[in-house]
Amino acid sequence: MHIDIEPGVKLFVDVEGLGWVPEGGQLRQRPTLLLLHGGPGFDHGGFRPFFSRFTDIAQVVYYDHRSQGRSSDRPRDEWTLDRWADDVVLLCERLGLERPIVVGQSFGGFVAQRYLARHPEHPAKVVLSSTSHHTGLARKLAAFRRLGGPLAEATAEAFWERPGPDTWAEYEIHCRHLYNTTPQPKLFETCYRWDVLFHFVGGEKKTMDLRPGLAKVRCPVLVMVGDEDPVTPPEDAMEIAAALRSAPVQFERFAGVGHGAWRDDPAAAETVLRRFFLAN
């Protein structure tokens, strides 16, 4: 379904699981997981089917970011972290969601960090999964070289320095398979917006530093990272956790795992996430 969050802006939303369940002769409200997908330029399909397993304890809300996936297109000057972060609040207002548990994966983690900086009192909890606070190109290149050799390193450098159709096509061949340590099935991401990806990587991402905004966060935050993630390396996650100096932080580093812990070790990722979601 499409939800109008402001005039001319429709976000594609899908909901799985009940928000209220009968218990002891009355209805009990369960927490809501609000999932912020990666990219930019992809859709929410990367969360499926893994997050369906949490419908026994929560309502799960998937959506596509502004100008991404099945959501409505908007002018380029709205393709910013500030807009995407504020959309989290606007969507919650339209859906009547209060105190959501926000899960940001990869680029969705960039959005979640900016959301925390701009709206620190809004979420109940936040998960920052396989994400970074900056471009961190040197770390990326070192990781791609270690995992894929000089060709992967050179290909990664070409894309991150000069994002466009040609460098992305080479990156898809020589780098994307290095994101994870186990063979991955074809994702459900079917609505690509490469123009959004190239715009962001060639623009705001180059100077992005999200750490200062994390200083005032007070809600519990789970930071998750895989040891073998080349695109959002463990060192980035460690620096994010350190920047959350006023928040209760849980840091989980998964051995033998790449980008998105649930993709390479779903059992371990589920255990960590379920415990965090249910903790008081």
Side-chain angles (χ1 to χ4, degrees):
M1 60 182 167
H2 285 91
I3 302 295
D4 291 279
I5 61 167
E6 60 183 16
V9 182
K10 295 178 181 288
L11 298 187
F12 180 83
V13 179
D14 210 356
V15 180
E16 194 173 16
L18 296 174
W20 294 79
V21 294
E23 185 177 278
Q26 58 185 351
L27 290 177
R28 177 179 63 85
Q29 188 173 17
R30 299 196 300 181
T32 295
L33 308 182
L34 185 63
L35 307 183
L36 279 55
H37 67 78
F42 296 173
D43 66 19
H44 70 276
F47 286 120
R48 296 179 182 261
F50 177 80
F51 276 85
S52 296
R53 67 189 65 197
F54 297 111
T55 56
D56 63 326
I57 60 171
Q59 184 176 60
V60 182
V61 177
Y62 310 88
Y63 80 97
D64 296 345
H65 298 291
R66 177 187 298 239
S67 292
Q68 300 177 48
R70 296 165 183 83
S71 292
S72 62
D73 194 15
R74 297 292 300 167
R76 284 175 177 256
D77 62 4
E78 295 182 14
W79 300 356
T80 68
L81 286 177
D82 284 351
R83 284 282 193 170
W84 288 314
D86 292 347
D87 285 350
V88 177
V89 176
L90 292 174
L91 179 61
C92 286
E93 289 175 352
R94 298 304 181 269
L95 296 178
L97 302 179
E98 296 181 358
R99 308 285 290 164
I101 300 174
V102 175
V103 179
Q105 161 66 16
S106 194
F107 163 78
F110 306 162
V111 177
Q113 289 175 75
R114 184 59 60 84
Y115 157 75
L116 278 169
R118 293 170 69 83
H119 309 281
E121 305 302 322
H122 191 263
K125 303 176 183 178
V126 171
V127 177
L128 299 175
S129 170
S130 297
T131 194
S132 297
H133 55 83
H134 63 165
T135 294
L137 184 57
R139 288 176 183 167
K140 284 181 173 59
L141 297 184
F144 278 114
R145 182 180 182 87
R146 176 173 59 84
L147 295 173
L151 178 58
E153 178 187 23
T155 304
E157 183 174 23
F159 170 67
W160 292 106
E161 291 283 15
R162 301 180 303 280
D166 294 340
T167 56
W168 176 252
E170 293 296 309
Y171 188 87
E172 287 263 54
I173 295 170
H174 300 297
C175 296
R176 286 265 279 172
H177 69 286
L178 301 173
Y179 276 35
N180 290 95
T181 58
T182 55
Q184 295 296 301
K186 182 176 175 58
L187 297 179
F188 294 99
E189 295 161 342
T190 56
C191 296
Y192 297 105
R193 284 292 305 271
W194 302 131
D195 52 341
V196 180
L197 172 66
F198 304 150
H199 175 84
F200 181 75
V201 171
E204 187 173 7
K205 191 174 192 298
K206 285 187 177 293
T207 58
M208 179 182 77
D209 184 357
L210 300 171
R211 284 177 296 178
L214 301 179
K216 54 188 175 183
V217 176
R218 300 289 186 274
C219 71
V221 180
L222 168 62
V223 181
M224 302 172 61
V225 68
D227 257 349
E228 301 297 321
D229 186 346
V231 71
T232 56
E235 295 83 359
D236 289 3
M238 294 167 64
E239 290 176 353
I240 289 170
L244 290 159
R245 55 180 179 269
S246 299
V249 178
Q250 178 181 341
F251 181 81
E252 296 287 344
R253 184 167 175 165
F254 295 81
V257 163
H259 195 63
W262 55 83
R263 294 170 181 159
D264 292 320
D265 195 342
E270 179 181 0
T271 297
V272 168
L273 286 164
R274 188 174 290 270
R275 186 182 301 124
F276 182 72
F277 294 155
L278 291 174
N280 293 323

Coordinates of all heavy atoms in Angstrom, one line a residue, residues 48-86:
R48 N 13.5 -9.5 3.5 CA 12.6 -10.7 3.4 C 13.4 -11.9 2.9 O 14.3 -11.8 2.1 CB 11.5 -10.4 2.5 CG 10.6 -9.3 3.0 CD 9.5 -9.0 1.9 NE 8.6 -8.0 2.3 CZ 7.4 -8.2 2.9 NH1 6.9 -9.4 3.2 NH2 6.6 -7.1 3.2
P49 N 13.1 -13.1 3.4 CA 12.0 -13.4 4.4 C 12.5 -13.4 5.8 O 11.7 -13.8 6.7 CB 11.6 -14.8 3.9 CG 12.9 -15.5 3.5 CD 13.7 -14.3 2.9
F50 N 13.7 -13.1 6.1 CA 14.3 -13.3 7.5 C 13.4 -12.6 8.5 O 13.1 -13.3 9.6 CB 15.7 -12.7 7.5 CG 16.3 -12.8 8.9 CD1 16.9 -14.0 9.4 CD2 16.3 -11.7 9.8 CE1 17.4 -14.1 10.6 CE2 16.9 -11.8 11.0 CZ 17.4 -13.0 11.5
F51 N 13.0 -11.4 8.4 CA 12.3 -10.7 9.5 C 10.9 -11.2 9.7 O 10.3 -10.8 10.7 CB 12.4 -9.2 9.3 CG 13.7 -8.6 9.8 CD1 14.8 -8.6 9.0 CD2 13.8 -8.1 11.1 CE1 16.0 -8.0 9.4 CE2 14.9 -7.6 11.6 CZ 16.1 -7.6 10.7
S52 N 10.4 -12.0 8.8 CA 9.1 -12.6 9.1 C 9.1 -13.5 10.4 O 8.0 -13.6 11.0 CB 8.7 -13.5 7.9 OG 8.5 -12.8 6.8
R53 N 10.2 -13.9 10.8 CA 10.3 -14.8 12.0 C 10.0 -14.0 13.3 O 9.8 -14.7 14.3 CB 11.7 -15.5 12.1 CG 12.9 -14.6 12.3 CD 14.2 -15.4 12.2 NE 14.4 -15.8 10.8 CZ 15.2 -16.8 10.5 NH1 16.0 -17.4 11.4 NH2 15.4 -17.1 9.2
F54 N 10.0 -12.7 13.2 CA 9.8 -11.9 14.4 C 8.3 -11.5 14.6 O 7.9 -10.8 15.6 CB 10.6 -10.7 14.5 CG 12.1 -11.0 14.5 CD1 12.9 -10.7 13.4 CD2 12.7 -11.6 15.6 CE1 14.3 -11.0 13.4 CE2 14.0 -11.9 15.6 CZ 14.8 -11.6 14.5
T55 N 7.4 -12.0 13.7 CA 6.0 -11.7 13.8 C 5.4 -12.4 15.0 O 4.2 -12.0 15.4 CB 5.2 -12.0 12.5 OG1 5.4 -13.4 12.3 CG2 5.7 -11.2 11.4
D56 N 6.1 -13.3 15.7 CA 5.5 -13.9 16.9 C 5.6 -13.0 18.1 O 5.0 -13.2 19.1 CB 6.2 -15.2 17.2 CG 7.7 -15.1 17.5 OD1 8.3 -14.2 16.9 OD2 8.2 -15.9 18.3
I57 N 6.5 -11.9 18.0 CA 6.7 -11.0 19.1 C 6.5 -9.6 18.8 O 6.4 -8.7 19.7 CB 8.1 -11.2 19.7 CG1 9.2 -10.8 18.6 CG2 8.3 -12.6 20.3 CD1 10.6 -10.7 19.2
A58 N 6.3 -9.2 17.5 CA 6.2 -7.8 17.1 C 5.4 -7.7 15.8 O 5.3 -8.7 15.0 CB 7.6 -7.2 16.9
Q59 N 5.0 -6.5 15.5 CA 4.5 -6.1 14.2 C 5.7 -5.6 13.4 O 6.5 -4.8 13.9 CB 3.4 -5.0 14.3 CG 2.8 -4.7 13.0 CD 1.7 -3.6 13.2 OE1 1.9 -2.6 13.7 NE2 0.5 -4.0 12.8
V60 N 5.8 -6.1 12.2 CA 6.9 -5.7 11.3 C 6.4 -4.8 10.2 O 5.6 -5.2 9.4 CB 7.6 -7.0 10.8 CG1 8.8 -6.6 9.9 CG2 8.0 -7.9 11.9
V61 N 7.0 -3.6 10.1 CA 6.7 -2.7 9.1 C 7.8 -2.5 8.1 O 8.9 -2.0 8.6 CB 6.2 -1.3 9.7 CG1 5.9 -0.3 8.6 CG2 5.0 -1.5 10.6
Y62 N 7.6 -2.8 6.9 CA 8.6 -2.6 5.8 C 8.2 -1.3 5.0 O 7.0 -1.1 4.8 CB 8.6 -3.7 4.8 CG 8.8 -5.1 5.4 CD1 7.6 -5.8 5.8 CD2 10.0 -5.7 5.6 CE1 7.7 -7.1 6.4 CE2 10.1 -7.0 6.1 CZ 9.0 -7.7 6.5 OH 9.1 -9.0 7.0
Y63 N 9.1 -0.6 4.6 CA 8.8 0.5 3.6 C 10.0 0.8 2.7 O 11.1 0.5 3.0 CB 8.3 1.8 4.4 CG 9.4 2.7 5.0 CD1 9.8 3.8 4.3 CD2 9.9 2.4 6.2 CE1 10.8 4.6 4.9 CE2 10.9 3.2 6.8 CZ 11.3 4.3 6.1 OH 12.3 5.2 6.7
D64 N 9.7 1.5 1.6 CA 10.7 2.0 0.7 C 11.0 3.4 0.9 O 10.0 4.2 1.0 CB 10.3 1.7 -0.8 CG 10.1 0.2 -1.1 OD1 10.6 -0.6 -0.3 OD2 9.5 0.0 -2.1
H65 N 12.2 3.8 1.0 CA 12.5 5.2 1.2 C 12.0 6.1 0.1 O 11.8 5.7 -1.0 CB 14.1 5.4 1.3 CG 14.7 4.7 2.4 ND1 14.5 5.1 3.8 CD2 15.6 3.7 2.5 CE1 15.3 4.3 4.5 NE2 15.9 3.4 3.8
R66 N 11.9 7.4 0.4 CA 11.5 8.4 -0.6 C 12.3 8.2 -1.9 O 13.6 8.1 -1.8 CB 11.7 9.8 0.0 CG 11.4 11.0 -0.9 CD 11.8 12.3 -0.2 NE 11.0 12.5 1.1 CZ 10.3 13.5 1.3 NH1 10.1 14.5 0.4 NH2 9.6 13.7 2.4
S67 N 11.7 8.2 -3.0 CA 12.3 8.1 -4.3 C 13.0 6.8 -4.5 O 13.9 6.7 -5.4 CB 13.3 9.3 -4.6 OG 12.6 10.5 -4.7
Q68 N 12.7 5.8 -3.8 CA 13.3 4.5 -3.9 C 12.2 3.4 -3.9 O 11.1 3.6 -3.5 CB 14.3 4.2 -2.8 CG 15.4 5.3 -2.7 CD 16.4 5.1 -1.6 OE1 16.9 4.0 -1.3 NE2 16.7 6.1 -0.9
G69 N 12.6 2.3 -4.5 CA 11.7 1.1 -4.5 C 10.4 1.5 -5.2 O 10.4 2.1 -6.3
R70 N 9.3 1.2 -4.5 CA 7.9 1.5 -5.1 C 7.4 2.8 -4.6 O 6.2 3.2 -4.8 CB 7.0 0.4 -4.7 CG 7.4 -0.9 -5.4 CD 6.7 -2.1 -4.7 NE 7.1 -3.4 -5.4 CZ 8.3 -4.0 -5.0 NH1 9.0 -3.5 -4.0 NH2 8.6 -5.1 -5.6
S71 N 8.2 3.6 -3.8 CA 7.7 4.9 -3.3 C 7.8 5.9 -4.4 O 8.5 5.8 -5.4 CB 8.6 5.3 -2.1 OG 8.3 4.5 -1.0
S72 N 7.0 7.0 -4.2 CA 6.9 8.0 -5.3 C 8.3 8.7 -5.5 O 9.1 8.9 -4.6 CB 5.8 9.0 -5.0 OG 6.2 9.7 -3.8
D73 N 8.5 9.1 -6.8 CA 9.7 9.9 -7.1 C 9.6 11.3 -6.7 O 8.5 11.9 -6.7 CB 9.9 9.8 -8.6 CG 11.3 10.3 -9.0 OD1 12.2 10.3 -8.1 OD2 11.5 10.5 -10.2
R74 N 10.7 11.9 -6.3 CA 10.7 13.2 -5.8 C 11.9 13.9 -6.4 O 12.9 13.3 -6.9 CB 10.8 13.3 -4.3 CG 9.5 12.7 -3.6 CD 8.3 13.5 -3.9 NE 8.4 14.9 -3.4 CZ 7.6 15.9 -3.7 NH1 6.6 15.7 -4.5 NH2 7.8 17.1 -3.1
P75 N 12.0 15.3 -6.4 CA 13.1 16.0 -6.9 C 14.5 15.6 -6.2 O 14.5 15.3 -5.1 CB 12.8 17.5 -6.7 CG 11.3 17.5 -6.5 CD 10.9 16.2 -5.9
R76 N 15.5 15.8 -6.9 CA 16.8 15.4 -6.4 C 17.2 16.2 -5.2 O 18.0 15.7 -4.3 CB 17.9 15.7 -7.5 CG 17.9 14.6 -8.6 CD 18.9 14.9 -9.7 NE 19.0 13.9 -10.7 CZ 19.9 13.0 -10.7 NH1 21.0 13.0 -9.9 NH2 19.9 12.0 -11.7
D77 N 16.7 17.4 -5.0 CA 17.1 18.1 -3.8 C 16.5 17.6 -2.5 O 16.8 18.0 -1.4 CB 16.8 19.6 -3.9 CG 15.3 19.9 -4.1 OD1 14.5 19.0 -4.1 OD2 15.0 21.1 -4.3
E78 N 15.6 16.5 -2.7 CA 15.0 15.9 -1.6 C 15.7 14.5 -1.3 O 15.4 13.8 -0.3 CB 13.5 15.6 -1.8 CG 12.7 16.9 -1.9 CD 11.2 16.6 -2.0 OE1 10.8 15.5 -1.8 OE2 10.5 17.6 -2.4
W79 N 16.7 14.2 -2.1 CA 17.5 12.9 -1.9 C 18.6 13.2 -0.9 O 19.8 13.2 -1.2 CB 18.1 12.4 -3.2 CG 17.1 12.2 -4.2 CD1 15.7 12.2 -4.2 CD2 17.3 11.8 -5.6 NE1 15.1 11.9 -5.3 CE2 16.1 11.6 -6.3 CE3 18.5 11.5 -6.3 CZ2 16.0 11.3 -7.6 CZ3 18.4 11.2 -7.6 CH2 17.2 11.0 -8.3
T80 N 18.2 13.4 0.4 CA 19.2 13.8 1.4 C 18.9 13.0 2.7 O 17.8 12.5 2.9 CB 19.1 15.3 1.8 OG1 17.9 15.5 2.4 CG2 19.3 16.1 0.6
L81 N 19.9 12.8 3.5 CA 19.8 12.1 4.8 C 18.8 12.8 5.7 O 18.0 12.1 6.4 CB 21.1 11.9 5.5 CG 22.1 10.9 4.9 CD1 23.4 10.8 5.6 CD2 21.4 9.5 4.9
D82 N 18.8 14.1 5.7 CA 17.8 14.8 6.5 C 16.4 14.5 6.1 O 15.5 14.2 7.0 CB 18.0 16.3 6.4 CG 19.3 16.8 7.2 OD1 19.8 16.0 8.0 OD2 19.6 18.0 7.1
R83 N 16.1 14.5 4.8 CA 14.7 14.1 4.4 C 14.4 12.7 4.7 O 13.3 12.4 5.2 CB 14.6 14.3 2.9 CG 14.6 15.8 2.4 CD 13.2 16.3 2.6 NE 13.0 17.6 1.9 CZ 11.9 18.2 1.7 NH1 10.7 17.7 2.2 NH2 11.8 19.4 1.1
W84 N 15.3 11.8 4.4 CA 15.0 10.4 4.7 C 14.8 10.1 6.2 O 14.0 9.3 6.6 CB 16.1 9.5 4.1 CG 16.1 9.4 2.6 CD1 15.0 9.2 1.8 CD2 17.2 9.6 1.7 NE1 15.4 9.2 0.5 CE2 16.7 9.4 0.4 CE3 18.6 9.8 1.9 CZ2 17.5 9.5 -0.8 CZ3 19.4 9.8 0.8 CH2 18.9 9.7 -0.5
A85 N 15.6 10.8 7.0 CA 15.5 10.7 8.4 C 14.1 11.2 8.9 O 13.5 10.6 9.8 CB 16.6 11.4 9.1
D86 N 13.8 12.4 8.5 CA 12.5 13.0 8.9 C 11.3 12.2 8.4 O 10.2 12.2 9.0 CB 12.4 14.4 8.4 CG 13.3 15.4 9.1 OD1 14.0 15.0 10.1 OD2 13.5 16.5 8.6

